[in-house]
Amino acid sequence: MSTTTVAHHDEHHDDHPTGIMRWLTTTNHKDIGTMYLTFSLVMFLVGGSMILGIRAELFKPGLQLMNPEFFNQLIGVHALIMIFAALMPAATGFANWMLPLQIGAPDMALPRLNNWGFWILPPSAILLTLPFTLALFGVGDGALATGWTFYPPLSVQGGIGVDFAIFAVHLLGISSVLGSINIIVTIYNMRAPGMTLMKMPMFAWGWLITAFLLIATIPVLAGAVTMLLTDRHFGTHFFDAAGGGDPIMFQHLFWFFGHPEVYILLLPVWGFIPQILQTFSRKPMYGYKAQVYSLWAIGALAVVVWAHHFFTAGMPVPALLYFMYSTMAISLPLAVLFYCWIRTMWKGSMSFETPMLFTVGWIILFGIGGLTGLVLADVAADAQYHNSYFVVAHFHYTLFAGGIMGIMAGVYYWLPKMTGHMYNEKLGKTHFWLTAISFNVTFIPQFFVGLAGMPRRIPDYALQFAEFNMISTVGAFVLGLSQLLFVYIIISCVKGGKKATDKVWEGAQGLEWTLPSPPPYHSFTEQPVVK
Amino acid sequence: MQGMKKLGVGAVALFLSLSARADFTWNFPEPVTPMALDTLHVHNKFMLITAVIFVAVLAIMIYSIVTHRHSKGYKPVADKAPSTAVEIFWTLIPFAILLLIDFVIMGIPAYHSVVMMEDTRDQSTMVIKITGSQWRWQYEYLDGDAKGIKFVSNLATSNDQMHNEADKGEHYLLEVDNPLVLPVGEKVRILMTASDVLHNWWVPQFGSSRVAVPGFIRETWVQVEKAGVYRGQCKELCGKGHGYMPVVVNAVSKEEFAQWANKKQDEQKAANDVKEMTKDELLAQGKVVYEKNCAVCHQVTGAGLPPAFPALTGSKIATGPIFGADGKYQKDSHLDRVLNGKGVMPAWKATLNDTEIAAVITYERNALGNTAAVDALVQPAQVKAARE
């Protein structure tokens, strides 16, 4: 290699297979990032249409469209798809695309592992949904019907759908761990000269902590579902009291992963949200250090609060108190973050392009999710909220508003950089308003119906819940259909549109905006220096 | 555009008509136990505090959004990289506010609520055992006037209501055949367990809910302060019948409770008497027992839902021999399966009495398209013997 001329060298590198082989064999961070994001978008639509089936069934009391077995399968697979196949790949896709650009690296540190990490995903998505198809041909009785949480003994009792889901989770977990290793190695080794850790873009910080959380918790989930698998088929009794086991132990193991998972989904978003805020406020983000410390604090607290997901399962009083107070403590660093975000806006020179609209909407709606989470931490009140629609509404404010709407802000923010074209601003704003309004129409009624006493995961309900459910279903369908507009905006932006400048946004700050739009196949051929 | 307008008008009309006849509730239902009252207070206080925070922060944001706009020519303040000390000071203010709210304003009352909720020792005058099973609740009174009373509480809503073939009743899905009866004003200690998977016994107006875990006993308590009928349901996903296992509690005065207990004990004694029955008697009672307990899985026709729930019609177990040459029941026979269960099939020996088991087995062997050649009739006495 050292003997080739520089010009030849470049040509050689840009030479890659075309067609399907390009995507199968690619080790380029942008190609892989694009595949992650596309996969995430497709699965978002798949998971979304599942829940529209659920909402249609819940439009009015009585069984209209499906039997309870199928209903139970849809809710669990909806959640697994949205969490593992839509939200997590979206964040990994952004990491692939943007981390090397933001830290001044030519590519990710481990490109082949990167390729493998992505190509594990489609098979696992197929594993997860295949039992639906198999059931149509009379094989098995459908997909996982236990909700996404796999609680035994119900999951021990379940059909082949549980086994398929266990293997799907194994694969999805491997993919996440591989992605995390790659991100940690990249961040530690590939930063531009002069970029110390405390000068890193916030997105890199968010992902670094996410990656550590993933590596710490995914193996526990993998272990838990493997124990489930051996309980199902090989006569072990980990979760069977008759053999000395304990069904509640599974809940401890599951939520030891499950609670950090919430922050795994949110930390990358908390990383790029301040970047969007500083861009559109035209001033640097406020309290960089305070934000970094808060992210670390949340990352640390994330792994010590898991049992608040099952306060009603029965625990000694000291344990209840410990998990209540430690959960409440998460609100302290989060309050700091909210303060810094709003303080970044304060006395800036704000303009409200689509990414900023999504970001401001995100702060408000995620705020509702956070505040309702605070009250859920109260053990006594939790007896009422637990497993009611109040909880469903709460976690959709954190995961749809706080997760997916954040991802959407990121998509609009970086799409011109990725494609080299501006998206249609008018349609983008329409998409924001449709999403924000219909989201609230969908989920505000669920708070009230939960307080009134409607449990989650029931296919049919008592008459006093009817009106709120009807409104919620109408909202859900508008919300679902609005996302087709999102798909249209993205596709037309990829195909063409006004040329984007290198900087794209007037107030953009950071290394990724020094490269052309779209950036060259290999990002930085010469390392930038950060002062 | 015209179409959009029409759609908008339609939507508004729909909402108005909804709100005209809807009974929207915006908060917890009326609390009837000290626990639920406490929960309601905690909830209201929390909601007030969070609403104040939310509105205050939103107001600041809106002010900033309106004022600090690029389009108005607002120039950003040049944050001259504020020193870390100043930043840390400012960011500690929200930290401190939340510290006060979490651990003082809300943390201290929350401590007392938890201790009260978990205190099952003091002054409980009665102990009952609640067993969740797919998909019904079993109640057993362990002491006091009602000692020994034991019954199963099933959903009473008819199938045609669920499938929209009949008008839905007022208490659609929240009605049972045998409600739990509790005396008003007594602290009742509840022992909770399950026979198959996790369940959660929940009445919103009681403010307590506890997971029923198979193989373990969990505790909670209720003290109903007001007579009335209270409704709730299972709130832990427990399979396909999860939406169909309501909880109904009938809270009555102490005198009424004593009367009810006497009557129930007499009834139960009569029902437990083992006597010889005719085929018609067995079939009639068996049909009732079958449709209440078995039809959820094996279906009213006996066709089942294979592969999870096998058909009874033409089944080897439901038509094959039960008793061996020695008069004892054989392993994996019809009676063995009903008494002891296997896999997904629950064991019924603790739930149904001798007569009910005899009746349902006889029904399954002579109806549902079956005509068993051997052991067509099972008598209560045989079931009783089989238990021993």
Side-chain angles (χ1 to χ4, degrees):
Chain A
M1 288 293 273
S2 56
T3 55
T4 51
T5 63
V6 173
H8 186 194
H9 182 92
D10 278 356
E11 255 167 48
H12 173 74
H13 259 229
D14 274 347
D15 179 38
H16 48 70
T18 51
I20 184 77
M21 282 315 281
R22 165 177 174 191
W23 300 102
L24 276 173
T25 60
T26 184
T27 52
N28 179 282
H29 74 103
K30 298 189 193 75
D31 283 354
I32 293 172
T34 305
M35 291 196 294
Y36 266 109
L37 289 170
T38 313
F39 175 77
S40 155
L41 184 63
V42 171
M43 295 315 284
F44 174 55
L45 298 178
V46 172
S49 40
M50 285 181 177
I51 211 62
L52 288 186
I54 294 285
R55 282 306 335 163
E57 173 59 52
L58 292 173
F59 183 66
K60 58 180 192 164
L63 291 174
Q64 283 78 238
L65 302 171
M66 57 186 77
N67 57 28
E69 295 92 313
F70 188 63
F71 181 96
N72 288 349
Q73 294 168 22
L74 284 186
I75 50 171
V77 179
H78 158 76
L80 284 172
I81 284 184
M82 285 304 196
I83 292 168
F84 285 97
L87 261 173
M88 288 170 75
T92 318
F94 280 148
N96 264 297
W97 247 103
M98 288 300 154
L99 269 185
L101 300 192
Q102 289 197 334
I103 62 172
D107 203 312
M108 296 295 279
L110 308 165
R112 290 190 185 158
L113 183 120
N114 207 3
N115 174 295
W116 188 32
F118 171 78
W119 280 110
I120 290 175
L121 285 180
S124 50
I126 292 170
L127 269 186
L128 204 51
T129 45
L130 191 64
F132 283 121
T133 322
L134 288 180
L136 290 181
F137 294 99
V139 182
D141 46 5
L144 173 84
T146 64
W148 80 287
T149 49
F150 289 94
Y151 281 2
L154 188 63
S155 52
V156 174
Q157 213 181 57
I160 59 164
V162 180
D163 301 317
F164 274 83
I166 287 173
F167 287 120
V169 163
H170 278 148
L171 288 179
L172 292 161
I174 292 172
S175 165
S176 303
V177 170
L178 294 178
S180 303
I181 292 171
N182 202 358
I183 284 164
I184 292 174
V185 175
T186 307
I187 289 178
Y188 273 110
N189 295 299
M190 313 254 305
R191 275 172 288 127
M195 184 183 277
T196 58
L197 280 176
M198 284 313 275
K199 280 186 185 165
M200 269 195 326
M202 195 59 72
F203 181 55
W205 269 118
W207 244 114
L208 185 64
I209 298 164
T210 300
F212 279 122
L213 281 179
L214 274 167
I215 291 177
T217 61
I218 287 276
V220 178
L221 173 71
V225 293
T226 308
M227 288 156 85
L228 195 60
L229 191 73
T230 62
D231 262 20
R232 282 171 57 79
H233 297 294
F234 308 119
T236 56
H237 294 100
F238 292 113
F239 309 123
D240 180 2
D246 183 350
I248 302 301
M249 183 173 70
F250 181 85
Q251 303 190 8
H252 283 276
L253 294 171
F254 181 86
W255 288 109
F256 182 80
F257 148 81
H259 192 76
E261 173 68 15
V262 176
Y263 299 102
I264 287 164
L265 299 171
L266 295 180
L267 278 163
V269 179
W270 296 346
F272 63 72
I273 285 289
Q275 297 179 348
I276 298 178
L277 282 171
Q278 66 179 4
T279 298
F280 294 97
S281 305
R282 295 174 177 77
K283 75 198 245 289
M285 69 178 74
Y286 187 86
Y288 175 90
K289 272 191 182 166
Q291 289 193 43
V292 172
Y293 297 153
S294 298
L295 294 183
W296 275 114
I298 291 169
L301 283 170
V303 286
V304 296
V305 297
W306 70 90
H308 67 223
H309 289 269
F310 47 96
F311 278 146
T312 60
M315 257 174 264
V317 174
L320 289 173
L321 291 173
Y322 162 72
F323 283 110
M324 173 169 80
Y325 288 129
S326 58
T327 303
M328 285 179 171
I330 295 180
S331 70
L332 308 178
L334 209 49
V336 173
L337 286 179
F338 269 96
Y339 177 80
C340 291
W341 298 331
I342 295 169
R343 184 75 193 252
T344 305
M345 292 163 67
W346 186 255
K347 292 195 176 174
S349 176
M350 282 187 278
S351 56
F352 295 90
E353 288 86 347
T354 311
M356 185 62 167
L357 278 183
F358 267 98
T359 303
V360 173
W362 177 90
I363 295 180
I364 296 169
L365 297 178
F366 176 55
I368 296 178
L371 289 170
T372 48
L374 198 55
V375 43
L376 277 161
D378 187 292
V379 174
D382 182 72
Q384 287 286 60
Y385 304 131
H386 178 74
N387 271 0
S388 78
Y389 259 86
F390 187 88
V391 170
V392 176
H394 156 74
F395 68 69
H396 281 94
Y397 270 86
T398 58
L399 294 184
F400 187 93
I404 288 177
M405 282 179 67
I407 296 287
M408 285 171 178
V411 169
Y412 284 111
Y413 183 55
W414 281 319
L415 203 54
K417 172 55 65 184
M418 294 173 179
T419 60
H421 305 129
M422 296 304 288
Y423 58 86
N424 185 327
E425 190 63 53
K426 208 171 184 180
L427 287 183
K429 285 180 175 164
T430 313
H431 173 230
F432 167 74
W433 286 109
L434 279 172
T435 303
I437 294 171
S438 58
F439 169 77
N440 283 296
V441 174
T442 309
F443 291 103
I444 288 178
Q446 296 190 3
F447 278 123
F448 294 115
V449 89
L451 293 180
M454 178 165 165
R456 65 193 282 209
R457 293 168 168 167
I458 54 172
D460 194 1
Y461 49 84
L463 301 180
Q464 75 250 35
F465 308 132
E467 286 79 14
F468 279 130
N469 271 292
M470 197 176 269
I471 298 172
S472 183
T473 297
V474 172
F477 272 86
V478 178
L479 183 59
L481 293 176
S482 310
Q483 303 322 313
L484 297 179
L485 182 62
F486 184 47
V487 177
Y488 172 78
I489 294 170
I490 294 175
I491 290 175
S492 54
C493 178
V494 171
K495 279 190 171 163
K498 215 177 89 199
K499 284 295 288 170
T501 60
D502 292 1
K503 208 176 170 193
V504 183
W505 313 107
E506 190 190 332
Q509 299 161 44
L511 286 178
E512 76 259 44
W513 309 104
T514 61
L515 287 172
S517 306
Y521 200 62
H522 292 281
S523 308
F524 288 96
T525 39
E526 219 169 291
Q527 264 193 324
V529 177
V530 178
K531 288 191 192 88
Chain B
M1 240 14 231
Q2 205 58 36
M4 286 288 277
K5 259 185 202 152
K6 264 188 198 156
L7 212 69
V9 172
V12 170
L14 179 74
F15 272 76
L16 286 179
S17 71
L18 273 176
S19 54
R21 60 182 176 79
D23 78 296
F24 290 110
T25 50
W26 307 99
N27 208 334
F28 288 140
E30 184 202 355
V32 294
T33 65
M35 202 58 237
L37 190 66
D38 184 77
T39 309
L40 180 69
H41 287 160
V42 168
H43 170 75
N44 286 344
K45 195 166 145 192
F46 255 107
M47 285 297 143
L48 189 68
I49 295 170
T50 51
V52 168
I53 299 177
F54 182 73
V55 170
V57 173
L58 190 64
I60 295 170
M61 277 180 75
I62 289 175
Y63 173 81
S64 178
I65 287 169
V66 171
T67 319
H68 309 139
R69 282 183 100 94
H70 189 60
S71 56
K72 284 190 179 173
Y74 194 91
K75 293 273 170 293
V77 289
D79 266 342
K80 273 188 218 138
S83 70
T84 308
V86 174
E87 270 186 13
I88 296 286
F89 170 76
W90 277 107
T91 51
L92 279 179
I93 291 178
F95 191 92
I97 294 175
L98 261 294
L99 198 66
L100 180 74
I101 292 173
D102 284 356
F103 299 112
V104 181
I105 301 179
M106 304 196 314
I108 294 173
Y111 172 83
H112 293 290
S113 304
V114 176
V115 171
M116 169 174 143
M117 186 169 85
E118 295 299 316
D119 184 7
T120 48
R121 296 160 306 165
D122 292 346
Q123 295 129 19
S124 67
T125 47
M126 226 176 97
V127 183
I128 59 171
K129 180 178 153 206
I130 299 180
T131 310
S133 44
Q134 286 171 322
W135 292 278
R136 55 188 56 80
W137 295 101
Q138 296 174 51
Y139 300 112
E140 188 175 355
Y141 293 76
L142 298 182
D143 60 359
D145 287 344
K147 185 172 180 183
I149 294 180
K150 191 175 150 187
F151 56 89
V152 179
S153 179
N154 285 295
L155 175 72
T157 303
S158 67
N159 239 319
D160 45 357
Q161 286 186 35
M162 293 175 209
H163 292 95
N164 306 312
E165 285 149 8
D167 284 343
K168 295 180 173 51
E170 187 191 352
H171 299 298
Y172 175 67
L173 294 183
L174 295 180
E175 51 198 349
V176 296
D177 51 359
N178 299 310
L180 176 67
V181 180
L182 292 178
V184 164
E186 304 273 349
K187 182 168 178 177
V188 180
R189 182 170 167 225
I190 295 176
L191 303 180
M192 192 88 67
T193 188
S195 61
D196 35 45
V197 301
L198 304 176
H199 301 274
N200 191 330
W201 193 82
W202 183 43
V203 179
Q205 284 175 278
F206 292 176
S208 56
S209 86
R210 184 81 355 145
V211 177
V213 185
F216 292 85
I217 301 275
R218 296 282 193 256
E219 290 183 298
T220 185
W221 62 276
V222 296
Q223 183 175 339
V224 188
E225 306 281 19
K226 193 179 148 192
V229 180
Y230 304 106
R231 294 165 201 279
Q233 51 195 127
C234 175
K235 70 166 174 173
E236 187 72 55
L237 180 60
C238 56
K240 73 190 189 79
H242 170 52
Y244 306 104
M245 51 185 295
V247 175
V248 179
V249 178
N250 197 0
V252 297
S253 68
K254 276 172 217 169
E255 299 73 44
E256 278 176 76
F257 179 76
Q259 284 171 10
W260 171 84
N262 272 331
K263 197 171 133 243
K264 196 82 184 172
Q265 272 162 335
D266 291 344
E267 269 174 31
Q268 203 157 302
K269 206 176 266 166
N272 284 343
D273 273 350
V274 172
K275 55 179 190 288
E276 190 79 9
M277 291 168 83
T278 66
K279 184 176 176 185
D280 287 344
E281 283 172 339
L282 284 168
L283 283 178
Q285 194 179 349
K287 185 168 161 42
V288 176
V289 176
Y290 179 82
E291 283 170 7
K292 200 179 265 181
N293 298 291
C294 318
V296 198
C297 299
H298 296 295
Q299 306 297 299
V300 180
T301 57
L305 290 170
F309 307 111
L312 296 184
T313 309
S315 129
K316 242 191 263 165
I317 292 177
T319 51
I322 296 178
F323 299 103
D326 57 354
K328 285 194 178 139
Y329 74 93
Q330 296 171 329
K331 194 173 168 345
D332 281 330
S333 68
H334 198 170
L335 181 53
D336 178 34
R337 189 65 88 248
V338 174
L339 277 178
N340 303 316
K342 185 185 183 185
V344 184
M345 171 76 179
W348 292 97
K349 61 181 168 197
T351 316
L352 300 177
N353 64 31
D354 298 337
T355 312
E356 287 167 328
I357 290 183
V360 80
I361 291 180
T362 306
Y363 176 75
E364 287 170 0
R365 299 175 79 76
N366 295 285
L368 309 176
N370 287 338
T371 34
V374 282
D375 299 324
L377 245 62
V378 175
Q379 285 293 341
Q382 289 173 296
V383 179
K384 192 174 181 205
R387 282 184 201 266
E388 288 149 8

